[in-house]
Amino acid sequence: MNDLEAVFEENSFAEGRFRRAYLGTWTNPIVKRGQRCVVKELKEEYTWEASDWKTAELVQQEAQTLADGFNAYSGCKYPIKFARVDVMRVVTKKNQNTTPALGEYVVAEDYIEGTFKKWCNNYGYISDEAQDFAMSLPAFMHWSWYHTDGQMMAADLQGVKKPDGYWLTDPVILSDVDGEYGCTDMGVEGMAMFFMKHKCNQFCKLLPSPTFDDFAGVILPQTLQKCKLAIPSMMGCTAFRSELKFTKPIKNVVLRTFRNIATRI
């Protein structure tokens, strides 16, 4: 934590499956005073320790590091930038019956002005706009997978497109280690679902990429069908690890397949 301070509204203005968001205003430091911010709390449980947000901070940092690498690689005129998250504690409030609770830890970030969109999620959803116009975003996911030798993928890309780039929030990191990046880390299953939908474009066409044929005989037909049917139901939503469908043997085979493909060049 640092010396940031903010006040926020009593009622949330947006929420996802994982978090609830409140519109706020920075009061400290002076350079931020009066600027709008967003305060977010976990929906399922109170967070009484600042360390409860450690994964969220780590995910943002990893996603930004990957974005910096992709921006340099692609030369895209709309660079990708993730909003920084800061952990804060609720120290005063008027209505004691509302959440976040007094003493609860939340995260705050600068408010992103503009039309908010979800271009990709963490389980195979890629919007039509991302396929046809915002092509650098799914290409970034593909590149992050290749850049880390198939061990990680930046996902759940959502935010606002501005004249100076894409300003994104609440990313997800998919990893080849079970749940390393929290309950939204769908691991190699999430990566596989992405590649089943992804169509390479000008930003990633030179990178190795799994194809549907690479999964034939690797994933049981009935499992594959369940996964493919789940993708439309996840439109606009973030998937949770409780919804994973791969058995451990399938996951291990897919992981080996990914490693072989990611290091092909």
Side-chain angles (χ1 to χ4, degrees), residues 176-238:
D176 63 358
V177 178
D178 283 343
E180 182 176 9
Y181 290 94
C183 62
T184 57
D185 177 359
M186 301 298 282
V188 295
E189 185 172 327
M191 299 177 194
M193 294 305 102
F194 167 77
F195 282 116
M196 287 185 189
K197 180 76 182 291
H198 174 56
K199 298 175 182 177
C200 287
N201 55 56
Q202 66 194 63
F203 297 106
C204 60
K205 62 184 179 181
L206 298 179
L207 302 178
S209 175
T211 66
F212 186 83
D213 290 340
D214 290 309
F215 299 112
V218 175
I219 306 173
L220 294 175
Q222 57 267 37
T223 302
L224 186 59
Q225 183 64 16
K226 288 180 181 179
C227 293
K228 292 174 68 177
L229 289 174
I231 293 177
S233 68
M234 295 292 179
M235 283 182 59
C237 298
T238 301

Side-chain angles (χ1 to χ4, degrees), residues 27-245:
T27 57
N28 193 57
I30 294 176
V31 293
K32 281 179 171 281
R33 186 173 297 168
Q35 297 179 23
R36 292 207 286 180
C37 66
V38 176
V39 173
K40 298 178 180 179
E41 67 167 336
L42 297 177
K43 291 178 66 174
E44 299 301 324
E45 58 186 7
Y46 293 117
T47 50
W48 300 119
E49 300 291 338
S51 58
D52 291 339
W53 287 102
K54 183 178 179 180
T55 298
E57 293 181 292
L58 178 61
V59 167
Q60 189 277 338
Q61 292 164 7
E62 294 280 15
Q64 187 58 61
T65 298
L66 289 169
D68 291 341
F70 176 75
N71 293 337
Y73 166 83
S74 67
C76 180
K77 66 178 181 179
Y78 294 104
I80 296 170
K81 173 73 175 178
F82 289 94
R84 170 179 166 169
V85 296
D86 288 283
V87 180
M88 304 175 70
R89 188 167 182 254
V90 179
V91 296
T92 182
K93 58 182 302 183
K94 295 179 180 179
N95 189 339
Q96 302 303 314
N97 296 319
T98 61
T99 61
L102 188 65
E104 183 179 355
Y105 285 93
V106 296
V107 293
E109 61 189 46
D110 292 340
Y111 178 77
I112 305 173
E113 299 279 354
T115 303
F116 191 91
K117 296 181 179 180
K118 193 176 188 96
W119 288 282
C120 309
N121 78 346
N122 60 339
Y123 199 80
Y125 169 70
I126 305 173
S127 71
D128 291 340
E129 181 177 340
Q131 293 277 33
D132 299 329
F133 301 104
M135 295 183 292
S136 62
L137 296 178
F140 167 49
M141 293 179 64
H142 184 173
W143 179 89
S144 67
W145 173 85
Y146 163 70
H147 178 70
T148 61
D149 294 330
Q151 297 178 61
M152 294 168 56
M153 177 186 284
D156 223 26
L157 306 183
Q158 56 202 329
V160 175
K161 183 180 181 182
K162 292 176 171 284
D164 61 345
Y166 290 100
W167 290 80
L168 308 182
T169 184
D170 293 341
V172 165
I173 294 292
L174 308 179
S175 72
D176 63 358
V177 178
D178 283 343
E180 182 176 9
Y181 290 94
C183 62
T184 57
D185 177 359
M186 301 298 282
V188 295
E189 185 172 327
M191 299 177 194
M193 294 305 102
F194 167 77
F195 282 116
M196 287 185 189
K197 180 76 182 291
H198 174 56
K199 298 175 182 177
C200 287
N201 55 56
Q202 66 194 63
F203 297 106
C204 60
K205 62 184 179 181
L206 298 179
L207 302 178
S209 175
T211 66
F212 186 83
D213 290 340
D214 290 309
F215 299 112
V218 175
I219 306 173
L220 294 175
Q222 57 267 37
T223 302
L224 186 59
Q225 183 64 16
K226 288 180 181 179
C227 293
K228 292 174 68 177
L229 289 174
I231 293 177
S233 68
M234 295 292 179
M235 283 182 59
C237 298
T238 301
F240 286 82
R241 289 189 58 79
S242 59
E243 298 164 312
L244 287 170
K245 298 170 178 60

